Amino acid sequence: MKESLTTQIDKLKICLENKSNIVITVHRNPDGDAIGSSLGLYNYLKSFHNNVNIIVPNAYPQDLHFLDGDDTVINFDTHTELSTRIINEADILFVLDYNDITRTEDMAPILKDSKAVKVLIDHHPNPVLEADIAISDTSVSSTCELVYEACSRMDYHNMLPKSSANALYLGIMTDTGNFRHNCNNPRTFEIVARLLEAGAEKDMITGQIFESYTKNRMGLMGYCLNDGMTVLDEHNTAYIVINREAINKFNFKKGDAEGFVNIPLSIKNVYFSAIFIEFEQYIKISFRSRGQFAVNKFSNSYFNGGGHRNAAGGKSNSSLTDTLNKFLEKVKEHSDEIYY
Ligand SMILES: [Mn+2]
């Protein structure tokens, strides 16, 4: 582990010994890594701290609701008053799997006003938030990996609680697309080995995420492969569109298109993929790449988003047609950067 990280973790240990009200927060639309890292940390801290809460900005997909402690997670959207009070009373505020307060949207003003010690644990590039303690490393697979490093270095137990091990395994598994990408560092697998030793139920978790699709989700996937996908051979790019009609036809539920953006990357010579989902208020976009093309920059320049070099999100408030035209135009402009 980098020396700068060990110093930060040592600072965190001292801080935890002097403070009592701990609040853990994640970004809006929490994914497996956000939920895994927050419950991994929560279950760990709970074994020696009484007052720990997790507050998420909004709801998250049904298939992520299976970990120990999940029933204690407070949703800011539906419990705004309670969440606000808890954040205001916090003396340690964890910022997990994001590094810019605006990613919590409506929760942001309350977090900004908080006088708590802010502890950032994250693997996204270019932190915006000025944290008191920053455990930030873009070279790791996931925030869960950093939470593991922090918990194991603080060394309150000889082994992580099983509930934490399960949660952290979930985040590493989902952020690497089931150990396909972003995990070339042997350390990731060393951590996974330690999680399995601590009792992580790998098969149960794999089943929850990859073997629990609804019939509608499978139908939507079929639609995406057959009708929704366009391959731009000359630009090594492919994209999927889920329009209003498809949303209605397959009774789209949050999370139903999770991971679909990766599908086009299975096509030979496709190095850049995107998915456009036409929600009522806006178009949600995800980008993925294999190789050199920096999708976070692409998204940040044209589609109000950001993320990692090979995985980023975005958003458009224009019509679907205008959004796609802009996308095609920009793909042409950047065509020579899209290679492996
Ligand atoms: Mn993550």
Side-chain angles (χ1 to χ4, degrees):
M1 207 185 344
K2 289 176 187 159
E3 203 193 308
S4 56
L5 287 190
T6 60
T7 321
Q8 296 293 303
I9 297 169
D10 294 342
K11 261 168 84 179
L12 174 60
K13 183 167 179 169
I14 296 165
C15 180
L16 282 169
E17 274 154 19
N18 297 312
K19 306 281 182 192
S20 50
N21 287 331
I22 303 174
V23 173
I24 299 169
T25 64
V26 299
H27 54 81
R28 198 169 167 86
N29 300 322
D31 57 3
D33 192 28
I35 295 303
S37 58
S38 55
L39 280 166
L41 181 64
Y42 172 89
N43 287 320
Y44 174 81
L45 294 173
K46 261 298 198 194
S47 55
F48 57 92
H49 244 290
N50 287 326
N51 204 343
V52 190
N53 283 290
I54 301 174
I55 302 194
V56 297
N58 64 337
Y60 46 98
Q62 202 44 52
D63 61 1
L64 294 177
H65 286 273
F66 67 93
L67 293 165
D68 285 353
D70 187 76
D71 52 341
T72 67
V73 174
I74 303 165
N75 177 340
F76 178 84
D77 260 3
T78 54
H79 296 81
T80 309
E81 226 170 274
L82 175 68
S83 307
T84 306
R85 194 174 73 233
I86 291 173
I87 295 170
N88 287 337
E89 285 169 2
D91 49 25
I92 302 188
L93 191 70
F94 280 95
V95 171
L96 295 193
D97 202 38
Y98 69 107
N99 59 32
D100 179 349
I101 294 277
T102 62
R103 290 221 50 213
T104 64
E105 295 187 12
D106 296 346
M107 227 164 94
I110 298 149
L111 295 179
K112 234 170 232 159
D113 285 349
S114 165
K115 300 276 173 289
V117 175
K118 293 196 174 84
V119 184
L120 174 85
I121 307 183
D122 181 48
H123 67 133
H124 292 86
N126 316 319
V128 174
L129 176 89
E130 280 182 38
D132 301 286
I133 297 173
I135 301 166
S136 164
D137 185 350
T138 56
S139 72
V140 300
S141 71
S142 53
T143 297
C144 279
E145 216 177 280
L146 292 173
V147 168
Y148 174 84
E149 300 286 17
C151 293
S152 57
R153 179 161 177 98
M154 286 192 292
D155 197 25
Y156 284 104
H157 306 283
N158 31 16
M159 210 177 258
L160 212 59
K162 180 178 166 177
S163 52
S164 286
N166 272 337
L168 298 180
Y169 184 86
L170 168 73
I172 298 175
M173 184 190 82
T174 52
D175 256 22
T176 59
N178 208 10
F179 305 99
R180 256 180 96 178
H181 45 76
N182 222 13
C183 52
N184 290 324
N185 190 333
R187 180 65 184 154
T188 306
F189 292 91
E190 280 169 11
I191 291 172
V192 168
R194 300 291 92 75
L195 296 178
L196 293 173
E197 271 168 9
E201 295 159 281
K202 171 184 157 288
D203 293 349
M204 179 276 284
I205 298 165
T206 306
Q208 287 285 346
I209 300 299
F210 297 112
E211 290 142 10
S212 65
Y213 285 17
T214 59
K215 218 176 126 190
N216 274 328
R217 184 174 160 165
M218 283 311 271
L220 180 68
M221 192 191 233
Y223 167 85
C224 288
L225 294 173
N226 275 303
D227 307 309
M229 186 162 66
T230 306
V231 181
L232 307 168
D233 288 311
E234 68 279 33
H235 304 299
N236 302 102
T237 296
Y239 64 98
I240 290 173
V241 177
I242 299 177
N243 57 19
R244 293 301 310 156
E245 204 188 320
I247 284 177
N248 294 330
K249 183 171 174 196
F250 297 101
N251 190 20
F252 188 97
K253 295 267 181 327
K254 210 182 190 107
D256 274 359
E258 194 65 48
F260 287 5
V261 63
N262 295 304
I263 295 173
L265 293 180
S266 298
I267 301 170
K268 195 171 177 153
N269 297 328
V270 168
Y271 305 123
F272 178 33
S273 76
I275 189 166
F276 299 84
I277 308 175
E278 189 186 14
F279 289 128
E280 257 169 85
Q281 314 289 339
Y282 68 99
I283 294 163
K284 183 180 188 280
I285 312 171
S286 298
F287 298 106
R288 293 291 184 275
S289 66
R290 288 197 289 139
Q292 297 311 307
F293 189 51
V295 294
N296 50 356
K297 272 195 213 150
F298 184 86
S299 180
N300 190 262
S301 305
Y302 311 120
F303 294 101
N304 316 303
H308 307 279
R309 186 181 73 186
N310 296 123
K315 198 172 173 174
S316 165
N317 292 312
S318 312
S319 71
L320 185 59
T321 315
D322 290 352
T323 305
L324 293 176
N325 284 338
K326 181 173 175 185
F327 174 71
L328 294 173
E329 184 190 310
K330 297 302 171 192
V331 165
K332 270 177 212 153
E333 260 176 58
H334 290 272
S335 189
D336 59 346
E337 295 163 41
I338 304 168
Y339 62 92
Y340 190 72

